[in-house]
Amino acid sequence: MIKISILGGGKEVGRSGFEIRGDDTTILLDYGVMLKGNRPIFPLSIPPREIDGIILTHAHLDHSGALPIFYVSENPRIYMRPITKELTELLIRDLLHLSAYFLPYEALELKLMIEKARKIKRNFKIKNIEVKTFNSGHIPGSINVLLNINGKKIWYSGDINTRETALLNKGEIPNEEIDFAIIESTYALVDHPPREECERKLIKILNEVIEGGGRVLIPAFSVGRTQEILCVLKKHNFKYPVVIDGMSRAATKIIAKWPNELRDYKLLKSAMSKAFWIKGQKDRDRVLKRPCVIITSSGMLTGGASAYYMDIMRNNEKDCVVLVSYQIPGTPGRTLLDEKVYGLNKEKVKCRVEWIDFSSHCGRSELLKIIKSLKGNPEVLCIHGDENSCEGLANEIKQEIGLKAYAPSPGESFII
Ligand SMILES: [Zn+2]
Ligand SMILES: [Zn+2]
């Protein structure tokens, strides 16, 4: 008997966590946090001494941010790609910096976890469970996972993108019969525009603003999106100055250490050498004196260096903010996009505001294509999406593909 329990990430994005319990082995897949402002919300708990191994699919905090909890009292084995180890340490350190007061662990537990991390390449075993991993194309180092437990096969997508991007090769999935699939549903109800179209739109906007004497702020997630934008600009031979600031700098330096994780390592390296790297406050004031493009964390304007630039650029009609990530309702980025207001007093901004869909997740068509290509008529759990997206995908799978599909809530379990 195998029991799959949803600890978090059911009809929600954030705090992903899935427990897979076999006859004598228990595995945990991801264990992240959902952030409400600076306040983290955790997955349901599981006694650490019952865990035989943890697999982390990628560094993002909605998959990794709660993991150090287990190292307060125990020392469970944890498996991740070497690049994920470095990026996770960077992101959780930042979380500790912002939210220490609300976290049930400290830097020591993070250190213990990172020391304990076993670096995986492709396939390995946790006791009698065989684990195969595949590139997911979502961020550098992201994987999806196939577990073989006494002949029963369970596939977990993690976050996945099956379209090639400027930074990454497209994600791959297993080509063997499976019994159970756990799949993300982030964009189950929408299709993304063609990537080339987004790239051309970005370049057109940047050229217009700079040639009009303005400056452009691109608030971008430090891991993944920053490097994607750098690569897109280089790929299109963008000729104006590009500046990089905030945590985006440290994340880019880590990612550039792992050529095999990237589609075109040379593209990123040459984009990095062409960019101007901010070293301190004097540099910030200097770059703002001329038209340029500034790429910096955070992606939803929740803090970091982007807030500094925003305060200066918001009142200049020539300047422009280009949001390149999904903006969660309630964040400053979303309010700016919807209402053209910013700051504590929600004042109207004068600068131009744009949004371009540079998603690193599958859209609706790609998700359905994945499900159709899975062999063995698996039952499907649709997770990692809002309620409408998870339920919408489960309904579509039932009606159009004819598989059993569910949109579970945290706390629900399934028996195979
Ligand atoms: Zn992710
Ligand atoms: Zn995620």
Side-chain angles (χ1 to χ4, degrees):
M1 189 185 86
I2 300 164
K3 186 176 172 195
I4 300 173
S5 302
I6 315 301
L7 304 179
K11 295 182 196 165
E12 60 191 2
V13 178
R15 65 161 187 168
S16 279
F18 308 96
E19 178 195 332
I20 316 288
R21 199 174 278 266
D23 287 332
D24 49 11
T25 310
T26 297
I27 284 184
L28 183 65
L29 301 169
D30 293 339
Y31 205 63
V33 291
M34 177 155 41
L35 290 171
K36 291 264 186 249
N38 281 348
R39 190 182 281 266
I41 298 168
F42 302 96
L44 305 180
S45 63
I46 165 174
R49 71 179 64 84
E50 291 178 12
I51 301 172
D52 295 294
I54 303 167
I55 304 170
L56 175 59
T57 58
H58 65 287
H60 279 156
L61 289 173
D62 59 319
H63 299 255
S64 69
L67 285 168
I69 288 172
F70 298 120
Y71 297 82
V72 174
S73 60
E74 297 286 324
N75 237 338
R77 286 182 186 178
I78 182 161
Y79 300 82
M80 61 185 83
R81 285 262 180 95
I83 184 174
T84 302
K85 183 171 148 161
E86 290 196 39
L87 292 172
T88 301
E89 188 175 9
L90 177 77
L91 292 181
I92 298 183
R93 267 196 203 293
D94 189 54
L95 179 67
L96 273 164
H97 182 67
L98 294 173
S99 305
Y101 178 77
F102 301 109
L103 289 168
Y105 60 80
E106 295 177 4
L108 175 68
E109 282 74 39
L110 171 63
K111 186 168 168 272
L112 288 172
M113 177 181 98
I114 293 298
E115 280 170 10
K116 192 76 184 171
R118 294 175 180 224
K119 297 183 221 165
I120 52 165
K121 285 213 173 98
R122 221 168 161 89
N123 305 331
F124 60 102
K125 273 186 110 174
I126 300 176
K127 288 171 82 176
N128 59 345
I129 297 181
E130 286 170 29
V131 184
K132 288 186 186 173
T133 67
F134 304 83
N135 282 334
S136 275
H138 167 63
I139 60 166
S142 59
I143 53 170
N144 59 85
V145 180
L146 180 68
L147 303 175
N148 185 341
I149 309 176
N150 299 328
K152 291 277 184 205
K153 290 184 185 167
I154 299 164
W155 178 66
Y156 170 47
S157 71
D159 289 357
I160 187 164
N161 186 12
T162 50
R163 300 193 304 169
E164 183 183 286
T165 63
L167 182 69
L168 298 172
N169 290 318
K170 61 184 181 191
E172 296 156 9
I173 58 166
N175 182 28
E176 50 191 284
E177 299 219 336
I178 61 172
D179 299 280
F180 219 93
I182 306 170
I183 189 163
E184 70 135 307
S185 318
T186 323
Y187 290 99
L189 304 179
V190 281
D191 264 321
H192 303 303
R195 204 74 182 182
E196 270 290 323
E197 200 177 284
C198 300
E199 293 181 5
R200 279 199 301 272
K201 185 177 169 192
L202 175 67
I203 301 293
K204 184 169 172 281
I205 294 168
L206 301 189
N207 284 335
E208 277 170 13
V209 175
I210 290 193
E211 283 158 17
R215 305 160 293 190
V216 182
L217 175 65
I218 305 184
F221 295 135
S222 55
V223 172
R225 199 61 43 87
T226 289
Q227 299 76 33
E228 171 70 6
I229 299 298
L230 279 171
C231 286
V232 167
L233 298 186
K234 186 71 194 111
K235 185 178 151 194
H236 290 265
N237 290 318
F238 184 68
K239 56 181 189 279
Y240 297 111
V242 175
V243 175
I244 178 165
D245 196 359
M247 207 168 66
S248 295
R249 291 168 298 179
T252 303
K253 281 178 186 161
I254 291 174
I255 287 167
K257 283 166 43 185
W258 304 94
N260 293 338
E261 298 285 0
L262 306 174
R263 183 187 67 82
D264 184 347
Y265 172 65
K266 285 186 185 152
L267 187 68
L268 179 64
K269 280 302 268 188
S270 72
M272 285 169 70
S273 64
K274 234 188 136 243
F276 179 80
W277 294 65
I278 295 286
K279 288 182 204 72
Q281 193 54 39
K282 273 188 188 165
D283 282 348
R284 285 188 191 108
D285 297 337
R286 185 146 27 103
V287 296
L288 283 168
K289 289 197 172 102
R290 56 177 187 166
C292 64
V293 174
I294 302 160
I295 306 170
T296 184
S297 46
S298 66
M300 291 181 278
L301 292 171
T302 46
S306 56
Y308 172 79
Y309 292 110
M310 234 355 249
D311 276 338
I312 291 164
M313 293 163 67
R314 56 192 283 174
N315 286 323
N316 192 330
E317 283 169 16
K318 286 182 178 174
D319 291 343
C320 177
V321 182
V322 186
L323 298 159
V324 288
S325 314
Y326 174 72
Q327 303 293 313
I328 295 175
T331 58
R334 180 61 173 260
T335 318
L336 177 71
L337 196 60
D338 291 346
E339 301 166 40
K340 282 209 84 181
V341 297
Y342 180 78
L344 284 178
N345 300 328
K346 299 213 163 171
E347 284 170 51
K348 277 272 177 211
V349 300
K350 290 185 186 150
C351 65
R352 180 173 168 186
V353 179
E354 297 279 354
W355 179 74
I356 305 178
D357 181 4
F358 272 101
S359 175
S360 58
H361 293 265
C362 285
R364 177 178 171 272
S365 325
E366 288 96 37
L367 288 172
L368 290 173
K369 202 171 159 198
I370 289 178
I371 304 285
K372 282 180 188 154
S373 70
L374 292 174
K375 294 179 181 165
N377 296 323
E379 289 184 47
V380 185
L381 297 185
C382 301
I383 47 88
H384 196 294
D386 61 26
E387 190 166 349
N388 287 340
S389 303
C390 293
E391 286 180 346
L393 184 62
N395 285 334
E396 216 157 359
I397 293 169
K398 278 188 276 191
Q399 285 156 15
E400 284 191 22
I401 310 177
L403 298 175
K404 284 185 184 164
Y406 314 89
S409 302
E412 280 190 55
S413 295
F414 295 80
I415 304 281
I416 310 178

